[in-house]
């Protein structure tokens, strides 16, 4: 089955109990047991729920894993994934990760005795050099949030395997439509499904998928023990969103190309970060490991132009956190999504105060461009 067909017919394409083509929302928190101690398939909804299970089967297939797990947010999925490891374990973490992930690592996990070295994942030598005796995993995003940096998944997973450690990839920006890290050697993929997978800015959810049976068993244990599971209503909504991922991504990306063309030709734009640009560092790796380049674009205005005035002047594009929705969303990472990273670290990692991140929606592209142009005109 090809990917776009799998989105619709993969997983449980019909409800085994009723034949419903859309898996019903099973709201029951518990399930009747006919025989005492018989270990039934469904017993308690934190442990397993048929609606959530249907979503988990689908994402496991889409990412080519052995099992998928749905959580109440992307952050919960990342937290459960780090919970696979123990006090004293060391991780190599990409320098450009979502601000909330950075906060989880530095403000929460460090309290439990986890150690981290932050590394530019574009530099393979630096990745290998950062691995030490107690390193258990490398963790990174590609493309990254918000600088769209590209890491070579196959090369990094190769280094990790050589050192007997795991590779964990946050695949939120690319989605399995564009990139399937497990097929490139990663052990675990995590998602903020709140973004492209949900696709309509109406659900907060997280997913984790692994290619390893042992990790799968442990993740099931952790999901049940920590309990940050996704409820049946949100599981249903997310599965419905995933069915149109391919159709949405094609339009998102077509629009992103049109927007990049516009930005490239506007003298008020100083720099564009987009992996689809042939001279963008990492373009060749992205072209090799991704189907297309996604629809996230970051850019900087010429020095002296007021980024605040620009984003506040937009009339169609929403000034809002999040990304991957059908509506175009814009934000200033230094103030919004990455505000939890101390300024000196942000600047060191290349996130300037004026950097603007745009999630290109699926509106008519000319309307998106017209809005950007009228907001830029306010700066003249
Ligand atoms: C790349 C990435 N990973 C993880 C997260 C966290 O996901 P959630 O907001 O669903 O907890 C986000 C949120 O913006 C993100 O952009």
């Amino acid at each position: 089955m090809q990917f776009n067909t799998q989105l619709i017919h993969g997983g449980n394409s019909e409800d085994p109990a009723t034949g419903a083509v859309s898996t019903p929302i099973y709201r029951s928190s518990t399930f009747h047991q006919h025989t005492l101690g018989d270990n039934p398939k469904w017993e308690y909804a934190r442990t397993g729920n048929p609606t959530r299970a249907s979503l988990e089967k689908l994402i496991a297939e889409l990412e080519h894993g052995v099992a998928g797990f749905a959580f109440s947010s992307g952050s919960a999925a990342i937290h459960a994934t780090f919970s696979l490891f123990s006090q004293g374990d060391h991780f190599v973490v990409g320098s450009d990760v979502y601000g909330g992930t950075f906060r989880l690592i530095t403000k929460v996990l460090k309290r439990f005795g986890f150690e981290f070295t932050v590394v530019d994942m574009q530099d393979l030598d630096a990745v290998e050099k950062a691995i030490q005796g107690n390193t258990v995993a490398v963790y990174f995003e590609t493309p990254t949030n918000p600088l769209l940096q590209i890491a070579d998944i196959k090369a990094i997973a190769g280094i990790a395997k050589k050192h007997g450690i795991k590779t964990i990839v946050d695949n939120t920006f690319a989605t399995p439509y564009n990139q399937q890290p497990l097929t490139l050697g990663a052990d675990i993929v995590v998602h903020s499904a709140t973004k492209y997978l949900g696709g309509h800015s109406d659900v907060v959810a997280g997913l984790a998928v692994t290619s390893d049976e042992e990790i799968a068993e442990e993740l099931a244990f952790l999901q049940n023990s920590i309990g940050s599971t996704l409820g049946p209503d949100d599981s249903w909504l997310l599965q419905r969103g995933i069915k149109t991922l391919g159709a949405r991504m094609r339009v998102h990306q077509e629009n992103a190309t049109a927007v990049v063309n516009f930005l490239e030709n506007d003298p008020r734009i100083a720099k564009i970060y987009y992996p689809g640009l042939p001279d963008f560092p990492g373009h060749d790796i992205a072209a090799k490991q991704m189907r297309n380049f996604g629809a996230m674009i970051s850019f900087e205005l010429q020095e002296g132009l007021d980024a605040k005035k620009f984003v506040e002047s937009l009339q169609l594009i929403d000034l809002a956190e999040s990304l991957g929705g059908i509506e175009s969303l814009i934000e200033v990472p230094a103030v919004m999504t990455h505000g939890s990273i101390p300024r000196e670290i942000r600047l060191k990692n290349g996130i300037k105060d004026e950097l603007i991140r745009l999630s290109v929606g699926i509106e008519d592209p000319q309307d998106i461009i017209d809005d950007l142009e009228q907001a830029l005109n306010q700066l003249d």
Side-chain angles (χ1 to χ4, degrees), residues 26-50 52-53 220 224:
Y26 286 98
R27 275 214 190 92
S28 194
S29 61
T30 191
F31 300 84
H32 182 90
Q33 303 193 19
H34 295 278
T35 318
L36 183 65
D38 205 19
N39 204 12
K41 182 166 169 56
W42 309 112
E43 52 183 29
Y44 185 63
R46 169 165 40 74
T47 319
N49 168 284
R52 193 180 87 216
N224 187 40

Side-chain angles (χ1 to χ4, degrees), residues 73-75 78 98 141 145 170 172-173 192 194-195 204-205 323:
S73 69
S75 301
I78 295 166
Y98 165 59
E141 300 170 9
N145 181 3
D170 182 331
T172 300
F173 270 37
S192 171
T194 314
K195 311 293 159 31
V204 173
L323 59 107

